[in-house]
Amino acid sequence: MNILLTGGTGFIGSLLLPTLLGPTPHDDEHRVTVLTRRPAKFALKHQAAIDRGQLRIIGTLKELTEDDAYDAVINLAGEGIADKPWSKQRKQELHDSRITLTNSLVQSMGLARRKPKVLISGSAIGWYGNQGDKILEEGALPHQEYVHDLCRDWENAAANAEAMGVRVCLLRTGVVIGSGGGMLRKLLPLFGLGLAGQLGSGQQYLSWVSLTDVVQIILRLLNDSELRGAFNATGPRPVTNAEFTRTLAQLLRRPAFLRLPASVLKMAMGEMSTLLLDGQRVVPSRLLQAQYRFQHASLDEALRAALAGRA
């Protein structure tokens, strides 16, 4: 399969790309074109795949021509939403790295002589907004707020590809648990110093998913032509912030007795504090209906695998 990938240098892409480049069950190999802002640096890490003719690296969509034909497009690009405070400038960066890029990607697909069969495009469970302990399936209505608006516009940009006859799958990803990045990379130093604890009331829900499962979900959507629309890429058992903190502390055998009041987080982080204080109790109903089997169905399993460097 010939695949165009954006976000190949990100946390999810860093596992997805070598998985795509490896042998498939049919002893065949995918060919992948990666869009990255730093093509020269990225090429240094993947020279062997480039030499095999299995990997192409581009720095801009303008390098593609109407004769470039892709069977699938996987769009995972986007600045980290929790990396910097949400200033006006930062919100514009978040918008451009998601919506503007996705619009350009779909426009590029429209210029191709042969359209891809499928577009798998990133989104997030922030689409639902803060909804307390309400169980959220894919058909749930959203709570109107900034993160919802961002995800809505992101999904709408990708959905424009449907008019070309492209099957579109929207990946509403939860908090990704894996080794070497994501939430764990930020939390482990705090737990090591004994400075961790629950946030606010601790009763807000955290819908997590293992990095391994995110990649396997993408592969399933890539290959199953019956699947289209929005999918909650979350583990089947969301937990509260208090339960997450307690589980990680037990696995690390470190104390986590501190409690950071909501008022302190709001003062320190402003509007971005909603990422920590609000919650979504999201369940992957459509994946379960499609009989997807999670490799890490519980938080304990996902954390153990991540801490062992296997996820």
Side-chain angles (χ1 to χ4, degrees):
M1 189 178 291
N2 200 11
I3 300 169
L4 174 62
L5 171 65
T6 75
T9 61
F11 187 37
I12 297 172
S14 64
L15 179 59
L16 176 63
L17 180 60
T19 303
L20 291 173
L21 294 177
T24 70
H26 302 288
D27 295 325
D28 194 8
E29 290 182 332
H30 298 300
R31 295 182 303 279
V32 183
T33 297
V34 175
L35 172 68
T36 173
R37 289 174 296 180
R38 301 177 180 86
K41 182 178 180 180
F42 190 70
L44 291 175
K45 297 181 179 180
H46 300 279
Q47 193 60 52
I50 295 172
D51 293 341
R52 292 196 304 270
Q54 199 180 356
L55 178 64
R56 176 189 178 190
I57 301 173
I58 59 174
T60 173
L61 290 172
K62 293 180 181 179
E63 296 179 46
L64 300 178
T65 71
E66 61 183 13
D67 293 320
D68 283 306
Y70 292 99
D71 302 298
V73 178
I74 303 174
N75 178 32
L76 303 178
E79 294 281 348
I81 196 164
D83 289 352
K84 298 179 182 179
W86 292 348
S87 63
K88 183 177 180 179
Q89 178 181 346
R90 183 56 178 173
K91 285 185 175 182
Q92 188 61 50
E93 291 170 352
L94 294 174
H95 180 280
D96 291 345
S97 66
R98 288 166 171 75
I99 294 94
T100 302
L101 186 142
T102 302
N103 279 328
S104 297
L105 185 63
V106 172
Q107 289 171 7
S108 177
M109 291 163 54
L111 296 175
R113 294 184 187 275
R114 181 166 69 84
K115 307 297 187 285
K117 295 179 181 178
V118 59
L119 166 62
I120 300 172
S121 194
S123 183
I125 59 172
W127 187 92
Y128 298 101
N130 180 31
Q131 304 217 34
D133 61 358
K134 179 181 178 181
I135 295 175
L136 301 171
E137 299 178 312
E138 285 84 355
L141 296 176
H143 178 264
Q144 202 76 27
E145 55 190 77
Y146 168 67
V147 178
H148 162 71
D149 292 345
L150 184 69
C151 292
R152 177 202 61 205
D153 293 347
W154 196 7
E155 291 189 7
N156 287 344
N160 288 329
E162 292 176 344
M164 307 174 198
V166 177
R167 177 171 64 93
V168 176
C169 297
L170 304 168
L171 204 64
R172 293 178 181 167
T173 308
V175 174
V176 181
I177 304 296
S179 59
M183 174 182 276
L184 277 187
R185 184 174 63 180
K186 297 179 180 181
L187 288 180
L188 290 180
L190 296 176
F191 275 84
L193 294 171
L195 298 177
Q198 72 180 45
L199 306 176
S201 69
Q203 297 309 300
Q204 66 273 31
Y205 270 87
L206 186 151
S207 296
W208 57 272
V209 64
S210 78
L211 177 59
T212 300
D213 273 309
V214 175
V215 170
Q216 292 304 312
I217 290 166
I218 291 172
L219 295 179
R220 174 66 185 279
L221 297 178
L222 191 67
N223 292 297
D224 192 335
S225 61
E226 298 299 315
L227 301 180
R228 64 179 64 235
F231 293 86
N232 291 335
T234 62
R237 304 169 194 165
V239 299
T240 63
N241 173 263
E243 184 178 348
F244 177 89
T245 302
R246 183 170 60 252
T247 303
L248 182 55
Q250 290 172 348
L251 291 175
L252 294 173
R253 298 182 181 179
R254 299 296 298 171
F257 301 126
L258 299 179
R259 178 175 297 186
L260 200 56
S263 59
V264 173
L265 285 169
K266 290 177 181 178
M267 184 179 301
M269 301 175 64
E271 185 182 4
M272 195 171 70
S273 64
T274 59
L275 293 176
L276 301 177
L277 296 174
D278 295 346
Q280 295 92 20
R281 191 179 182 181
V282 178
V283 292
S285 294
R286 295 197 64 209
L287 287 173
L288 293 173
Q289 290 166 6
Q291 298 184 337
Y292 174 79
R293 297 184 65 180
F294 283 86
Q295 296 195 20
H296 303 117
S298 72
L299 176 65
D300 183 86
E301 293 170 356
L303 288 174
R304 286 181 184 275
L307 294 173
R310 300 194 304 271

